[in-house]
Amino acid sequence: TVGVYHRTDAGWRNDGALFTFADRVVPFAVTVDHRTARVYILTWRPGDLWRVEVFEKLSHGEVRAGALIPVGNSGNKNSPDVGGVGLAVNVNNRHIFVANTADGTVTVIDGANDAVLDTVTVGSDPTVLAMNRDNGVVFVGLRALDQLHRFRDQ
């Protein structure tokens, strides 16, 4: 289960919204498109199946489950080399980026229709992502190579 928190003058508060998952599904990363109130959660499922689960925050304390989008392989969740932490959103065009650690790729999802747009080969062991929405550059940390790869979001 993943909860939603917001900051108030009195500190951080849970607004009651909870994202729940099927049995044996493990959440690994989360990103939010604040312009659309959509929440994207990267999850692992038995069989090393990785998915981005889409949720829409409807109101205070209420969410609705949406699409379940297959992405590349981030590895075995029990391995110390598991990925599953690279997830970012470009709020300007609603593209979501997912680091697929075991595949050496980044999946690009169109958040407007919840479909995979592209899979970009980036190099060995991508783990973390950062998005510069001002210029459209996506930065990808390549753990095994101690390098930073970058590409431009179209």
PDB file of all heavy atoms in Angstrom, residues 41-61:
ATOM      1  N   ILE A  41       3.129   4.328 -10.595  1.00  0.00           N
ATOM      2  CA  ILE A  41       3.870   3.513  -9.639  1.00  0.00           C
ATOM      3  C   ILE A  41       4.453   2.307 -10.376  1.00  0.00           C
ATOM      4  O   ILE A  41       3.718   1.536 -10.999  1.00  0.00           O
ATOM      5  CB  ILE A  41       2.961   3.060  -8.484  1.00  0.00           C
ATOM      6  CG1 ILE A  41       2.384   4.290  -7.773  1.00  0.00           C
ATOM      7  CG2 ILE A  41       3.742   2.181  -7.503  1.00  0.00           C
ATOM      8  CD1 ILE A  41       1.395   3.976  -6.683  1.00  0.00           C
ATOM      9  N   LEU A  42       5.787   2.172 -10.308  1.00  0.00           N
ATOM     10  CA  LEU A  42       6.470   1.029 -10.905  1.00  0.00           C
ATOM     11  C   LEU A  42       6.369  -0.142  -9.940  1.00  0.00           C
ATOM     12  O   LEU A  42       6.749  -0.019  -8.770  1.00  0.00           O
ATOM     13  CB  LEU A  42       7.934   1.363 -11.179  1.00  0.00           C
ATOM     14  CG  LEU A  42       8.777   0.248 -11.791  1.00  0.00           C
ATOM     15  CD1 LEU A  42       8.252  -0.150 -13.169  1.00  0.00           C
ATOM     16  CD2 LEU A  42      10.232   0.678 -11.867  1.00  0.00           C
ATOM     17  N   THR A  43       5.849  -1.269 -10.423  1.00  0.00           N
ATOM     18  CA  THR A  43       5.664  -2.438  -9.562  1.00  0.00           C
ATOM     19  C   THR A  43       6.323  -3.675 -10.165  1.00  0.00           C
ATOM     20  O   THR A  43       6.493  -3.788 -11.380  1.00  0.00           O
ATOM     21  CB  THR A  43       4.167  -2.748  -9.342  1.00  0.00           C
ATOM     22  OG1 THR A  43       3.548  -3.008 -10.607  1.00  0.00           O
ATOM     23  CG2 THR A  43       3.462  -1.608  -8.640  1.00  0.00           C
ATOM     24  N   TRP A  44       6.684  -4.576  -9.264  1.00  0.00           N
ATOM     25  CA  TRP A  44       7.199  -5.897  -9.630  1.00  0.00           C
ATOM     26  C   TRP A  44       6.113  -6.917  -9.326  1.00  0.00           C
ATOM     27  O   TRP A  44       5.412  -6.825  -8.328  1.00  0.00           O
ATOM     28  CB  TRP A  44       8.439  -6.218  -8.802  1.00  0.00           C
ATOM     29  CG  TRP A  44       8.947  -7.615  -8.982  1.00  0.00           C
ATOM     30  CD1 TRP A  44       9.898  -8.025  -9.864  1.00  0.00           C
ATOM     31  CD2 TRP A  44       8.548  -8.782  -8.257  1.00  0.00           C
ATOM     32  NE1 TRP A  44      10.109  -9.388  -9.737  1.00  0.00           N
ATOM     33  CE2 TRP A  44       9.280  -9.876  -8.749  1.00  0.00           C
ATOM     34  CE3 TRP A  44       7.613  -9.027  -7.247  1.00  0.00           C
ATOM     35  CZ2 TRP A  44       9.134 -11.166  -8.280  1.00  0.00           C
ATOM     36  CZ3 TRP A  44       7.460 -10.314  -6.768  1.00  0.00           C
ATOM     37  CH2 TRP A  44       8.219 -11.370  -7.279  1.00  0.00           C
ATOM     38  N   ARG A  45       6.006  -7.905 -10.226  1.00  0.00           N
ATOM     39  CA  ARG A  45       5.069  -9.011 -10.045  1.00  0.00           C
ATOM     40  C   ARG A  45       5.830 -10.324 -10.154  1.00  0.00           C
ATOM     41  O   ARG A  45       6.862 -10.374 -10.809  1.00  0.00           O
ATOM     42  CB  ARG A  45       3.974  -8.964 -11.116  1.00  0.00           C
ATOM     43  CG  ARG A  45       3.073  -7.775 -10.959  1.00  0.00           C
ATOM     44  CD  ARG A  45       2.182  -7.555 -12.194  1.00  0.00           C
ATOM     45  NE  ARG A  45       1.325  -6.429 -11.942  1.00  0.00           N
ATOM     46  CZ  ARG A  45       0.123  -6.515 -11.372  1.00  0.00           C
ATOM     47  NH1 ARG A  45      -0.365  -7.682 -11.038  1.00  0.00           N
ATOM     48  NH2 ARG A  45      -0.596  -5.433 -11.157  1.00  0.00           N
ATOM     49  N   PRO A  46       5.325 -11.391  -9.537  1.00  0.00           N
ATOM     50  CA  PRO A  46       6.001 -12.691  -9.645  1.00  0.00           C
ATOM     51  C   PRO A  46       6.299 -13.047 -11.102  1.00  0.00           C
ATOM     52  O   PRO A  46       5.491 -12.782 -11.997  1.00  0.00           O
ATOM     53  CB  PRO A  46       4.987 -13.657  -9.026  1.00  0.00           C
ATOM     54  CG  PRO A  46       4.223 -12.812  -8.056  1.00  0.00           C
ATOM     55  CD  PRO A  46       4.118 -11.456  -8.719  1.00  0.00           C
ATOM     56  N   GLY A  47       7.469 -13.642 -11.318  1.00  0.00           N
ATOM     57  CA  GLY A  47       7.928 -13.946 -12.672  1.00  0.00           C
ATOM     58  C   GLY A  47       8.783 -12.824 -13.226  1.00  0.00           C
ATOM     59  O   GLY A  47       9.065 -12.790 -14.419  1.00  0.00           O
ATOM     60  N   ASP A  48       9.203 -11.891 -12.354  1.00  0.00           N
ATOM     61  CA  ASP A  48       9.984 -10.716 -12.759  1.00  0.00           C
ATOM     62  C   ASP A  48       9.276  -9.915 -13.841  1.00  0.00           C
ATOM     63  O   ASP A  48       9.875  -9.466 -14.816  1.00  0.00           O
ATOM     64  CB  ASP A  48      11.401 -11.106 -13.189  1.00  0.00           C
ATOM     65  CG  ASP A  48      12.245 -11.555 -12.024  1.00  0.00           C
ATOM     66  OD1 ASP A  48      11.924 -11.157 -10.883  1.00  0.00           O
ATOM     67  OD2 ASP A  48      13.205 -12.300 -12.230  1.00  0.00           O
ATOM     68  N   LEU A  49       7.976  -9.733 -13.656  1.00  0.00           N
ATOM     69  CA  LEU A  49       7.185  -8.890 -14.551  1.00  0.00           C
ATOM     70  C   LEU A  49       7.094  -7.493 -13.947  1.00  0.00           C
ATOM     71  O   LEU A  49       6.644  -7.321 -12.815  1.00  0.00           O
ATOM     72  CB  LEU A  49       5.781  -9.470 -14.737  1.00  0.00           C
ATOM     73  CG  LEU A  49       5.727 -10.886 -15.303  1.00  0.00           C
ATOM     74  CD1 LEU A  49       4.293 -11.393 -15.328  1.00  0.00           C
ATOM     75  CD2 LEU A  49       6.330 -10.933 -16.695  1.00  0.00           C
ATOM     76  N   TRP A  50       7.517  -6.512 -14.695  1.00  0.00           N
ATOM     77  CA  TRP A  50       7.513  -5.121 -14.241  1.00  0.00           C
ATOM     78  C   TRP A  50       6.412  -4.366 -14.970  1.00  0.00           C
ATOM     79  O   TRP A  50       6.246  -4.511 -16.183  1.00  0.00           O
ATOM     80  CB  TRP A  50       8.876  -4.495 -14.497  1.00  0.00           C
ATOM     81  CG  TRP A  50       9.938  -5.085 -13.626  1.00  0.00           C
ATOM     82  CD1 TRP A  50      10.653  -6.226 -13.857  1.00  0.00           C
ATOM     83  CD2 TRP A  50      10.366  -4.596 -12.365  1.00  0.00           C
ATOM     84  NE1 TRP A  50      11.512  -6.473 -12.826  1.00  0.00           N
ATOM     85  CE2 TRP A  50      11.359  -5.477 -11.882  1.00  0.00           C
ATOM     86  CE3 TRP A  50      10.020  -3.498 -11.584  1.00  0.00           C
ATOM     87  CZ2 TRP A  50      12.012  -5.293 -10.676  1.00  0.00           C
ATOM     88  CZ3 TRP A  50      10.670  -3.306 -10.379  1.00  0.00           C
ATOM     89  CH2 TRP A  50      11.645  -4.195  -9.937  1.00  0.00           C
ATOM     90  N   ARG A  51       5.668  -3.557 -14.225  1.00  0.00           N
ATOM     91  CA  ARG A  51       4.543  -2.793 -14.782  1.00  0.00           C
ATOM     92  C   ARG A  51       4.546  -1.389 -14.191  1.00  0.00           C
ATOM     93  O   ARG A  51       4.967  -1.181 -13.054  1.00  0.00           O
ATOM     94  CB  ARG A  51       3.196  -3.444 -14.434  1.00  0.00           C
ATOM     95  CG  ARG A  51       3.046  -4.888 -14.860  1.00  0.00           C
ATOM     96  CD  ARG A  51       2.874  -5.003 -16.366  1.00  0.00           C
ATOM     97  NE  ARG A  51       2.621  -6.359 -16.785  1.00  0.00           N
ATOM     98  CZ  ARG A  51       3.532  -7.188 -17.267  1.00  0.00           C
ATOM     99  NH1 ARG A  51       4.780  -6.810 -17.356  1.00  0.00           N
ATOM    100  NH2 ARG A  51       3.219  -8.405 -17.658  1.00  0.00           N
ATOM    101  N   VAL A  52       4.014  -0.443 -14.955  1.00  0.00           N
ATOM    102  CA  VAL A  52       3.687   0.864 -14.397  1.00  0.00           C
ATOM    103  C   VAL A  52       2.184   0.869 -14.205  1.00  0.00           C
ATOM    104  O   VAL A  52       1.420   0.651 -15.146  1.00  0.00           O
ATOM    105  CB  VAL A  52       4.126   2.017 -15.321  1.00  0.00           C
ATOM    106  CG1 VAL A  52       3.548   3.343 -14.839  1.00  0.00           C
ATOM    107  CG2 VAL A  52       5.648   2.089 -15.379  1.00  0.00           C
ATOM    108  N   GLU A  53       1.776   1.079 -12.955  1.00  0.00           N
ATOM    109  CA  GLU A  53       0.363   1.149 -12.626  1.00  0.00           C
ATOM    110  C   GLU A  53      -0.022   2.618 -12.535  1.00  0.00           C
ATOM    111  O   GLU A  53       0.656   3.411 -11.881  1.00  0.00           O
ATOM    112  CB  GLU A  53       0.069   0.419 -11.325  1.00  0.00           C
ATOM    113  CG  GLU A  53       0.457  -1.049 -11.416  1.00  0.00           C
ATOM    114  CD  GLU A  53      -0.134  -1.911 -10.315  1.00  0.00           C
ATOM    115  OE1 GLU A  53      -1.231  -1.590  -9.820  1.00  0.00           O
ATOM    116  OE2 GLU A  53       0.516  -2.916  -9.974  1.00  0.00           O
ATOM    117  N   VAL A  54      -1.108   2.964 -13.208  1.00  0.00           N
ATOM    118  CA  VAL A  54      -1.553   4.352 -13.288  1.00  0.00           C
ATOM    119  C   VAL A  54      -2.750   4.548 -12.370  1.00  0.00           C
ATOM    120  O   VAL A  54      -3.700   3.758 -12.394  1.00  0.00           O
ATOM    121  CB  VAL A  54      -1.938   4.727 -14.734  1.00  0.00           C
ATOM    122  CG1 VAL A  54      -2.347   6.186 -14.825  1.00  0.00           C
ATOM    123  CG2 VAL A  54      -0.789   4.417 -15.698  1.00  0.00           C
ATOM    124  N   PHE A  55      -2.689   5.603 -11.568  1.00  0.00           N
ATOM    125  CA  PHE A  55      -3.791   5.966 -10.689  1.00  0.00           C
ATOM    126  C   PHE A  55      -4.131   7.431 -10.916  1.00  0.00           C
ATOM    127  O   PHE A  55      -3.248   8.236 -11.199  1.00  0.00           O
ATOM    128  CB  PHE A  55      -3.416   5.774  -9.214  1.00  0.00           C
ATOM    129  CG  PHE A  55      -3.176   4.348  -8.833  1.00  0.00           C
ATOM    130  CD1 PHE A  55      -1.923   3.773  -8.974  1.00  0.00           C
ATOM    131  CD2 PHE A  55      -4.198   3.570  -8.316  1.00  0.00           C
ATOM    132  CE1 PHE A  55      -1.689   2.461  -8.611  1.00  0.00           C
ATOM    133  CE2 PHE A  55      -3.978   2.249  -7.955  1.00  0.00           C
ATOM    134  CZ  PHE A  55      -2.716   1.697  -8.097  1.00  0.00           C
ATOM    135  N   GLU A  56      -5.393   7.756 -10.763  1.00  0.00           N
ATOM    136  CA  GLU A  56      -5.832   9.139 -10.871  1.00  0.00           C
ATOM    137  C   GLU A  56      -6.349   9.582  -9.510  1.00  0.00           C
ATOM    138  O   GLU A  56      -7.202   8.925  -8.915  1.00  0.00           O
ATOM    139  CB  GLU A  56      -6.933   9.251 -11.919  1.00  0.00           C
ATOM    140  CG  GLU A  56      -7.297  10.657 -12.250  1.00  0.00           C
ATOM    141  CD  GLU A  56      -8.253  10.731 -13.419  1.00  0.00           C
ATOM    142  OE1 GLU A  56      -8.551   9.688 -14.030  1.00  0.00           O
ATOM    143  OE2 GLU A  56      -8.703  11.840 -13.710  1.00  0.00           O
ATOM    144  N   LYS A  57      -5.797  10.668  -9.029  1.00  0.00           N
ATOM    145  CA  LYS A  57      -6.267  11.222  -7.754  1.00  0.00           C
ATOM    146  C   LYS A  57      -7.489  12.083  -8.054  1.00  0.00           C
ATOM    147  O   LYS A  57      -7.402  13.095  -8.719  1.00  0.00           O
ATOM    148  CB  LYS A  57      -5.172  12.036  -7.091  1.00  0.00           C
ATOM    149  CG  LYS A  57      -5.551  12.466  -5.704  1.00  0.00           C
ATOM    150  CD  LYS A  57      -4.355  12.525  -4.826  1.00  0.00           C
ATOM    151  CE  LYS A  57      -4.621  12.967  -3.419  1.00  0.00           C
ATOM    152  NZ  LYS A  57      -5.915  13.281  -2.992  1.00  0.00           N
ATOM    153  N   LEU A  58      -8.650  11.647  -7.578  1.00  0.00           N
ATOM    154  CA  LEU A  58      -9.907  12.316  -7.896  1.00  0.00           C
ATOM    155  C   LEU A  58     -10.220  13.460  -6.945  1.00  0.00           C
ATOM    156  O   LEU A  58     -10.674  14.512  -7.356  1.00  0.00           O
ATOM    157  CB  LEU A  58     -11.050  11.301  -7.883  1.00  0.00           C
ATOM    158  CG  LEU A  58     -10.890  10.129  -8.857  1.00  0.00           C
ATOM    159  CD1 LEU A  58     -12.007   9.130  -8.669  1.00  0.00           C
ATOM    160  CD2 LEU A  58     -10.846  10.634 -10.287  1.00  0.00           C
ATOM    161  N   SER A  59     -10.025  13.235  -5.668  1.00  0.00           N
ATOM    162  CA  SER A  59     -10.318  14.255  -4.672  1.00  0.00           C
ATOM    163  C   SER A  59      -9.575  13.901  -3.400  1.00  0.00           C
ATOM    164  O   SER A  59      -8.848  12.910  -3.346  1.00  0.00           O
ATOM    165  CB  SER A  59     -11.828  14.314  -4.399  1.00  0.00           C
ATOM    166  OG  SER A  59     -12.268  13.094  -3.828  1.00  0.00           O
ATOM    167  N   HIS A  60      -9.795  14.677  -2.392  1.00  0.00           N
ATOM    168  CA  HIS A  60      -9.164  14.439  -1.100  1.00  0.00           C
ATOM    169  C   HIS A  60      -9.527  13.042  -0.607  1.00  0.00           C
ATOM    170  O   HIS A  60     -10.679  12.748  -0.343  1.00  0.00           O
ATOM    171  CB  HIS A  60      -9.648  15.503  -0.105  1.00  0.00           C
ATOM    172  CG  HIS A  60      -8.952  15.446   1.201  1.00  0.00           C
ATOM    173  ND1 HIS A  60      -7.681  15.929   1.367  1.00  0.00           N
ATOM    174  CD2 HIS A  60      -9.328  14.950   2.396  1.00  0.00           C
ATOM    175  CE1 HIS A  60      -7.317  15.742   2.613  1.00  0.00           C
ATOM    176  NE2 HIS A  60      -8.294  15.155   3.267  1.00  0.00           N
ATOM    177  N   GLY A  61      -8.529  12.155  -0.571  1.00  0.00           N
ATOM    178  CA  GLY A  61      -8.757  10.816  -0.054  1.00  0.00           C
ATOM    179  C   GLY A  61      -9.321   9.817  -1.045  1.00  0.00           C
ATOM    180  O   GLY A  61      -9.602   8.677  -0.686  1.00  0.00           O
TER     181      GLY A  61
END
